[in-house]
Amino acid sequence: MINNIAEIKDDILMSIKDIESVEQLQTIRVKYLGRSGILTNLLKDLKNVNPQDRPLYGKLLNDTQRFIEQNIDTVMEKLLSRDKLLREKSESIDVSFSKITAKRGALHPLTKVKNEIINIFIGLGFSVEEGPEIEYTKYNFELLNIAADHPARAFADSFYITNDIMLRTQTSGIQARVMEKQTPPIKIVCPGKVYRPDADATHSPMFQQIEGLYVDKSVSLADLKYTLELFAKEFFDKDTKVRFRPSYFPFTEPSVEVDLSCAMCHGKGCFLCKNTGWLELLGAGVVNPIVLENCGIDSTVYSGYAFGIGIERATMVKYGIPDMRLLFENDIRMLEQFK
Ligand SMILES: [Zn+2]
């Protein structure tokens, strides 16, 4: 029996030496100290031992029981503290870890300016009309009194798809389409992309326009000036002045170039206005009666005015941008300034 007990001590030390989990250790505890455990059974057998030997064996078994408990407890503590560490490590938050952030988007400056211009005219009673970017020459030219021998019709000045289908060079085709199907009063703005084969610091093969048209009884150049002044004061500031210079467009008669007092230098002269104090912003005029008649509107009853603003030009003037190409490069450093 003494040999047995010595073996039990060796066995227990061997089996807990490489133990990996609390569960395995519990199994060993049950194997030795459980209700039918090896040591429990030896203790039960004590009553069969010779009475004079019984105290010695009893003491030996009790010592062994304590030995097993102590060893199991020591290993148990190690396993529990190891598990706690692992748990803490997996649940911990590294506060020094750099934050992953999504950059917030913003509208492109051209879109912002376009929306701003549209909203000003909506406030003045205009509605918004759109039309096709691939247009018949009839709407882009003929109905607008641009004759076949007009310089703008030379093939080099437009992108043609067939002889009578082209990328529109202006949004005026929308005006012709609306006048054709609607009786006055007509009060519309037509925003959209237009295409011309030009490319330099102030021209791009694709740019955006917003054209306005107001046709009703007794609409005059004075109405045009009043409307554009209201627009300019709203778009720039309330001190902005408007100047008309005589010009020529086939679809308006009389025609004017509209200049606004420079928003940057207030007329003193700067790089933006090329030291003139004035910014050329748009072309306008009273709708040529021929155009009204071409579109089925009686020019003896109705008259109208029309104007066209370049969105890129308006954006450059408003924000003092010297080169139009900056607006198309999509350099994030430039775009972020308009957030
Ligand atoms: Zn200026």
PDB file of all heavy atoms in Angstrom, residues 46-69:
ATOM      1  N   LEU A  46      -9.664   1.817   4.345  1.00  0.00           N
ATOM      2  CA  LEU A  46      -8.893   1.961   5.584  1.00  0.00           C
ATOM      3  C   LEU A  46      -9.452   1.072   6.709  1.00  0.00           C
ATOM      4  O   LEU A  46      -8.710   0.550   7.558  1.00  0.00           O
ATOM      5  CB  LEU A  46      -8.891   3.438   6.023  1.00  0.00           C
ATOM      6  CG  LEU A  46      -7.800   3.882   6.989  1.00  0.00           C
ATOM      7  CD1 LEU A  46      -6.409   3.617   6.402  1.00  0.00           C
ATOM      8  CD2 LEU A  46      -7.948   5.374   7.320  1.00  0.00           C
ATOM      9  N   LYS A  47     -10.820   0.884   6.612  1.00  0.00           N
ATOM     10  CA  LYS A  47     -11.437   0.101   7.681  1.00  0.00           C
ATOM     11  C   LYS A  47     -10.982  -1.367   7.636  1.00  0.00           C
ATOM     12  O   LYS A  47     -11.100  -2.093   8.615  1.00  0.00           O
ATOM     13  CB  LYS A  47     -12.968   0.210   7.614  1.00  0.00           C
ATOM     14  CG  LYS A  47     -13.592  -0.284   6.311  1.00  0.00           C
ATOM     15  CD  LYS A  47     -15.105  -0.109   6.377  1.00  0.00           C
ATOM     16  CE  LYS A  47     -15.819  -0.654   5.151  1.00  0.00           C
ATOM     17  NZ  LYS A  47     -15.499   0.041   3.905  1.00  0.00           N
ATOM     18  N   ASN A  48     -10.497  -1.817   6.467  1.00  0.00           N
ATOM     19  CA  ASN A  48     -10.027  -3.198   6.345  1.00  0.00           C
ATOM     20  C   ASN A  48      -8.557  -3.384   6.758  1.00  0.00           C
ATOM     21  O   ASN A  48      -8.041  -4.494   6.760  1.00  0.00           O
ATOM     22  CB  ASN A  48     -10.170  -3.679   4.892  1.00  0.00           C
ATOM     23  CG  ASN A  48     -11.613  -3.553   4.400  1.00  0.00           C
ATOM     24  OD1 ASN A  48     -12.540  -3.781   5.208  1.00  0.00           O
ATOM     25  ND2 ASN A  48     -11.791  -3.187   3.142  1.00  0.00           N
ATOM     26  N   VAL A  49      -7.900  -2.261   7.077  1.00  0.00           N
ATOM     27  CA  VAL A  49      -6.472  -2.348   7.427  1.00  0.00           C
ATOM     28  C   VAL A  49      -6.324  -2.782   8.897  1.00  0.00           C
ATOM     29  O   VAL A  49      -7.166  -2.469   9.733  1.00  0.00           O
ATOM     30  CB  VAL A  49      -5.794  -0.989   7.202  1.00  0.00           C
ATOM     31  CG1 VAL A  49      -4.357  -0.955   7.760  1.00  0.00           C
ATOM     32  CG2 VAL A  49      -5.774  -0.648   5.708  1.00  0.00           C
ATOM     33  N   ASN A  50      -5.282  -3.513   9.116  1.00  0.00           N
ATOM     34  CA  ASN A  50      -4.936  -3.942  10.467  1.00  0.00           C
ATOM     35  C   ASN A  50      -4.974  -2.740  11.431  1.00  0.00           C
ATOM     36  O   ASN A  50      -4.351  -1.707  11.155  1.00  0.00           O
ATOM     37  CB  ASN A  50      -3.501  -4.512  10.404  1.00  0.00           C
ATOM     38  CG  ASN A  50      -3.188  -5.349  11.617  1.00  0.00           C
ATOM     39  OD1 ASN A  50      -3.831  -5.178  12.669  1.00  0.00           O
ATOM     40  ND2 ASN A  50      -2.218  -6.212  11.477  1.00  0.00           N
ATOM     41  N   PRO A  51      -5.773  -2.910  12.576  1.00  0.00           N
ATOM     42  CA  PRO A  51      -5.986  -1.728  13.432  1.00  0.00           C
ATOM     43  C   PRO A  51      -4.721  -1.030  13.899  1.00  0.00           C
ATOM     44  O   PRO A  51      -4.687   0.201  13.933  1.00  0.00           O
ATOM     45  CB  PRO A  51      -6.745  -2.298  14.644  1.00  0.00           C
ATOM     46  CG  PRO A  51      -7.388  -3.537  14.118  1.00  0.00           C
ATOM     47  CD  PRO A  51      -6.506  -4.075  13.050  1.00  0.00           C
ATOM     48  N   GLN A  52      -3.634  -1.788  14.181  1.00  0.00           N
ATOM     49  CA  GLN A  52      -2.453  -1.057  14.676  1.00  0.00           C
ATOM     50  C   GLN A  52      -1.742  -0.286  13.570  1.00  0.00           C
ATOM     51  O   GLN A  52      -1.021   0.670  13.828  1.00  0.00           O
ATOM     52  CB  GLN A  52      -1.461  -1.971  15.445  1.00  0.00           C
ATOM     53  CG  GLN A  52      -0.689  -2.927  14.592  1.00  0.00           C
ATOM     54  CD  GLN A  52      -1.243  -4.358  14.683  1.00  0.00           C
ATOM     55  OE1 GLN A  52      -2.467  -4.552  14.834  1.00  0.00           O
ATOM     56  NE2 GLN A  52      -0.401  -5.367  14.616  1.00  0.00           N
ATOM     57  N   ASP A  53      -1.981  -0.701  12.311  1.00  0.00           N
ATOM     58  CA  ASP A  53      -1.353   0.037  11.202  1.00  0.00           C
ATOM     59  C   ASP A  53      -2.218   1.229  10.742  1.00  0.00           C
ATOM     60  O   ASP A  53      -1.760   2.090   9.980  1.00  0.00           O
ATOM     61  CB  ASP A  53      -1.120  -0.874   9.976  1.00  0.00           C
ATOM     62  CG  ASP A  53      -0.104  -1.985  10.296  1.00  0.00           C
ATOM     63  OD1 ASP A  53       0.722  -1.753  11.212  1.00  0.00           O
ATOM     64  OD2 ASP A  53      -0.170  -3.032   9.629  1.00  0.00           O
ATOM     65  N   ARG A  54      -3.496   1.207  11.202  1.00  0.00           N
ATOM     66  CA  ARG A  54      -4.448   2.151  10.657  1.00  0.00           C
ATOM     67  C   ARG A  54      -4.039   3.626  10.809  1.00  0.00           C
ATOM     68  O   ARG A  54      -4.119   4.398   9.828  1.00  0.00           O
ATOM     69  CB  ARG A  54      -5.817   1.918  11.312  1.00  0.00           C
ATOM     70  CG  ARG A  54      -6.956   2.087  10.328  1.00  0.00           C
ATOM     71  CD  ARG A  54      -8.287   1.768  10.971  1.00  0.00           C
ATOM     72  NE  ARG A  54      -8.562   0.333  10.896  1.00  0.00           N
ATOM     73  CZ  ARG A  54      -9.536  -0.285  11.589  1.00  0.00           C
ATOM     74  NH1 ARG A  54     -10.291   0.415  12.431  1.00  0.00           N
ATOM     75  NH2 ARG A  54      -9.733  -1.573  11.462  1.00  0.00           N
ATOM     76  N   PRO A  55      -3.526   4.074  12.030  1.00  0.00           N
ATOM     77  CA  PRO A  55      -3.169   5.507  12.162  1.00  0.00           C
ATOM     78  C   PRO A  55      -2.102   5.917  11.169  1.00  0.00           C
ATOM     79  O   PRO A  55      -2.181   6.997  10.566  1.00  0.00           O
ATOM     80  CB  PRO A  55      -2.631   5.613  13.605  1.00  0.00           C
ATOM     81  CG  PRO A  55      -3.179   4.426  14.310  1.00  0.00           C
ATOM     82  CD  PRO A  55      -3.300   3.332  13.294  1.00  0.00           C
ATOM     83  N   LEU A  56      -1.123   5.053  10.937  1.00  0.00           N
ATOM     84  CA  LEU A  56      -0.024   5.377  10.028  1.00  0.00           C
ATOM     85  C   LEU A  56      -0.543   5.571   8.604  1.00  0.00           C
ATOM     86  O   LEU A  56      -0.286   6.570   7.943  1.00  0.00           O
ATOM     87  CB  LEU A  56       1.036   4.261  10.057  1.00  0.00           C
ATOM     88  CG  LEU A  56       2.209   4.455   9.085  1.00  0.00           C
ATOM     89  CD1 LEU A  56       3.067   5.680   9.478  1.00  0.00           C
ATOM     90  CD2 LEU A  56       3.077   3.208   9.041  1.00  0.00           C
ATOM     91  N   TYR A  57      -1.368   4.558   8.175  1.00  0.00           N
ATOM     92  CA  TYR A  57      -1.930   4.649   6.822  1.00  0.00           C
ATOM     93  C   TYR A  57      -2.850   5.860   6.677  1.00  0.00           C
ATOM     94  O   TYR A  57      -2.844   6.563   5.652  1.00  0.00           O
ATOM     95  CB  TYR A  57      -2.701   3.368   6.461  1.00  0.00           C
ATOM     96  CG  TYR A  57      -1.776   2.198   6.149  1.00  0.00           C
ATOM     97  CD1 TYR A  57      -1.870   0.992   6.838  1.00  0.00           C
ATOM     98  CD2 TYR A  57      -0.813   2.342   5.130  1.00  0.00           C
ATOM     99  CE1 TYR A  57      -1.019  -0.076   6.550  1.00  0.00           C
ATOM    100  CE2 TYR A  57       0.042   1.279   4.849  1.00  0.00           C
ATOM    101  CZ  TYR A  57      -0.062   0.087   5.541  1.00  0.00           C
ATOM    102  OH  TYR A  57       0.783  -0.952   5.258  1.00  0.00           O
ATOM    103  N   GLY A  58      -3.625   6.039   7.758  1.00  0.00           N
ATOM    104  CA  GLY A  58      -4.567   7.188   7.731  1.00  0.00           C
ATOM    105  C   GLY A  58      -3.828   8.482   7.493  1.00  0.00           C
ATOM    106  O   GLY A  58      -4.210   9.301   6.651  1.00  0.00           O
ATOM    107  N   LYS A  59      -2.717   8.647   8.256  1.00  0.00           N
ATOM    108  CA  LYS A  59      -1.941   9.882   8.149  1.00  0.00           C
ATOM    109  C   LYS A  59      -1.354  10.012   6.740  1.00  0.00           C
ATOM    110  O   LYS A  59      -1.413  11.059   6.103  1.00  0.00           O
ATOM    111  CB  LYS A  59      -0.815   9.889   9.187  1.00  0.00           C
ATOM    112  CG  LYS A  59      -0.066  11.202   9.260  1.00  0.00           C
ATOM    113  CD  LYS A  59       1.021  11.153  10.319  1.00  0.00           C
ATOM    114  CE  LYS A  59       1.781  12.469  10.467  1.00  0.00           C
ATOM    115  NZ  LYS A  59       2.308  12.951   9.233  1.00  0.00           N
ATOM    116  N   LEU A  60      -0.854   8.894   6.266  1.00  0.00           N
ATOM    117  CA  LEU A  60      -0.233   8.864   4.936  1.00  0.00           C
ATOM    118  C   LEU A  60      -1.249   9.258   3.845  1.00  0.00           C
ATOM    119  O   LEU A  60      -0.974  10.065   2.948  1.00  0.00           O
ATOM    120  CB  LEU A  60       0.297   7.448   4.665  1.00  0.00           C
ATOM    121  CG  LEU A  60       1.438   7.303   3.666  1.00  0.00           C
ATOM    122  CD1 LEU A  60       2.608   8.202   4.022  1.00  0.00           C
ATOM    123  CD2 LEU A  60       1.890   5.835   3.612  1.00  0.00           C
ATOM    124  N   LEU A  61      -2.460   8.685   3.973  1.00  0.00           N
ATOM    125  CA  LEU A  61      -3.491   9.005   2.980  1.00  0.00           C
ATOM    126  C   LEU A  61      -3.920  10.475   3.057  1.00  0.00           C
ATOM    127  O   LEU A  61      -4.117  11.145   2.031  1.00  0.00           O
ATOM    128  CB  LEU A  61      -4.713   8.092   3.178  1.00  0.00           C
ATOM    129  CG  LEU A  61      -4.499   6.639   2.705  1.00  0.00           C
ATOM    130  CD1 LEU A  61      -5.701   5.773   3.099  1.00  0.00           C
ATOM    131  CD2 LEU A  61      -4.271   6.590   1.202  1.00  0.00           C
ATOM    132  N   ASN A  62      -4.042  10.986   4.275  1.00  0.00           N
ATOM    133  CA  ASN A  62      -4.426  12.389   4.448  1.00  0.00           C
ATOM    134  C   ASN A  62      -3.372  13.322   3.858  1.00  0.00           C
ATOM    135  O   ASN A  62      -3.702  14.310   3.172  1.00  0.00           O
ATOM    136  CB  ASN A  62      -4.614  12.729   5.935  1.00  0.00           C
ATOM    137  CG  ASN A  62      -5.969  12.219   6.439  1.00  0.00           C
ATOM    138  OD1 ASN A  62      -6.912  12.106   5.656  1.00  0.00           O
ATOM    139  ND2 ASN A  62      -6.048  11.894   7.715  1.00  0.00           N
ATOM    140  N   ASP A  63      -2.080  12.968   4.136  1.00  0.00           N
ATOM    141  CA  ASP A  63      -0.982  13.776   3.572  1.00  0.00           C
ATOM    142  C   ASP A  63      -1.056  13.778   2.034  1.00  0.00           C
ATOM    143  O   ASP A  63      -0.885  14.805   1.387  1.00  0.00           O
ATOM    144  CB  ASP A  63       0.374  13.224   4.002  1.00  0.00           C
ATOM    145  CG  ASP A  63       0.673  13.524   5.474  1.00  0.00           C
ATOM    146  OD1 ASP A  63      -0.093  14.347   6.036  1.00  0.00           O
ATOM    147  OD2 ASP A  63       1.637  12.952   6.011  1.00  0.00           O
ATOM    148  N   THR A  64      -1.312  12.560   1.495  1.00  0.00           N
ATOM    149  CA  THR A  64      -1.378  12.430   0.040  1.00  0.00           C
ATOM    150  C   THR A  64      -2.536  13.251  -0.532  1.00  0.00           C
ATOM    151  O   THR A  64      -2.407  13.925  -1.550  1.00  0.00           O
ATOM    152  CB  THR A  64      -1.550  10.950  -0.353  1.00  0.00           C
ATOM    153  OG1 THR A  64      -0.511  10.205   0.285  1.00  0.00           O
ATOM    154  CG2 THR A  64      -1.447  10.775  -1.851  1.00  0.00           C
ATOM    155  N   GLN A  65      -3.687  13.177   0.185  1.00  0.00           N
ATOM    156  CA  GLN A  65      -4.847  13.957  -0.267  1.00  0.00           C
ATOM    157  C   GLN A  65      -4.493  15.440  -0.319  1.00  0.00           C
ATOM    158  O   GLN A  65      -4.792  16.139  -1.292  1.00  0.00           O
ATOM    159  CB  GLN A  65      -6.031  13.731   0.679  1.00  0.00           C
ATOM    160  CG  GLN A  65      -7.295  14.354   0.159  1.00  0.00           C
ATOM    161  CD  GLN A  65      -8.466  14.118   1.127  1.00  0.00           C
ATOM    162  OE1 GLN A  65      -8.249  13.764   2.312  1.00  0.00           O
ATOM    163  NE2 GLN A  65      -9.655  14.274   0.638  1.00  0.00           N
ATOM    164  N   ARG A  66      -3.802  15.948   0.740  1.00  0.00           N
ATOM    165  CA  ARG A  66      -3.409  17.357   0.790  1.00  0.00           C
ATOM    166  C   ARG A  66      -2.426  17.685  -0.349  1.00  0.00           C
ATOM    167  O   ARG A  66      -2.527  18.687  -1.021  1.00  0.00           O
ATOM    168  CB  ARG A  66      -2.783  17.684   2.148  1.00  0.00           C
ATOM    169  CG  ARG A  66      -3.223  19.023   2.643  1.00  0.00           C
ATOM    170  CD  ARG A  66      -2.842  19.420   4.087  1.00  0.00           C
ATOM    171  NE  ARG A  66      -1.996  18.518   4.822  1.00  0.00           N
ATOM    172  CZ  ARG A  66      -2.441  17.635   5.744  1.00  0.00           C
ATOM    173  NH1 ARG A  66      -3.722  17.535   6.001  1.00  0.00           N
ATOM    174  NH2 ARG A  66      -1.606  16.878   6.397  1.00  0.00           N
ATOM    175  N   PHE A  67      -1.488  16.704  -0.562  1.00  0.00           N
ATOM    176  CA  PHE A  67      -0.481  16.867  -1.622  1.00  0.00           C
ATOM    177  C   PHE A  67      -1.167  17.042  -2.985  1.00  0.00           C
ATOM    178  O   PHE A  67      -0.862  17.950  -3.755  1.00  0.00           O
ATOM    179  CB  PHE A  67       0.455  15.640  -1.637  1.00  0.00           C
ATOM    180  CG  PHE A  67       1.443  15.629  -2.761  1.00  0.00           C
ATOM    181  CD1 PHE A  67       2.672  16.286  -2.625  1.00  0.00           C
ATOM    182  CD2 PHE A  67       1.152  14.969  -3.964  1.00  0.00           C
ATOM    183  CE1 PHE A  67       3.580  16.271  -3.677  1.00  0.00           C
ATOM    184  CE2 PHE A  67       2.072  14.960  -5.010  1.00  0.00           C
ATOM    185  CZ  PHE A  67       3.285  15.601  -4.860  1.00  0.00           C
ATOM    186  N   ILE A  68      -2.172  16.149  -3.242  1.00  0.00           N
ATOM    187  CA  ILE A  68      -2.888  16.234  -4.547  1.00  0.00           C
ATOM    188  C   ILE A  68      -3.635  17.553  -4.644  1.00  0.00           C
ATOM    189  O   ILE A  68      -3.560  18.267  -5.662  1.00  0.00           O
ATOM    190  CB  ILE A  68      -3.868  15.044  -4.693  1.00  0.00           C
ATOM    191  CG1 ILE A  68      -3.076  13.742  -4.800  1.00  0.00           C
ATOM    192  CG2 ILE A  68      -4.757  15.239  -5.911  1.00  0.00           C
ATOM    193  CD1 ILE A  68      -3.939  12.497  -4.749  1.00  0.00           C
ATOM    194  N   GLU A  69      -4.353  17.930  -3.592  1.00  0.00           N
ATOM    195  CA  GLU A  69      -5.138  19.174  -3.623  1.00  0.00           C
ATOM    196  C   GLU A  69      -4.247  20.383  -3.866  1.00  0.00           C
ATOM    197  O   GLU A  69      -4.561  21.236  -4.701  1.00  0.00           O
ATOM    198  CB  GLU A  69      -5.904  19.341  -2.298  1.00  0.00           C
ATOM    199  CG  GLU A  69      -7.197  18.539  -2.281  1.00  0.00           C
ATOM    200  CD  GLU A  69      -7.855  18.490  -0.895  1.00  0.00           C
ATOM    201  OE1 GLU A  69      -7.216  18.959   0.090  1.00  0.00           O
ATOM    202  OE2 GLU A  69      -8.981  17.978  -0.816  1.00  0.00           O
TER     203      GLU A  69
END
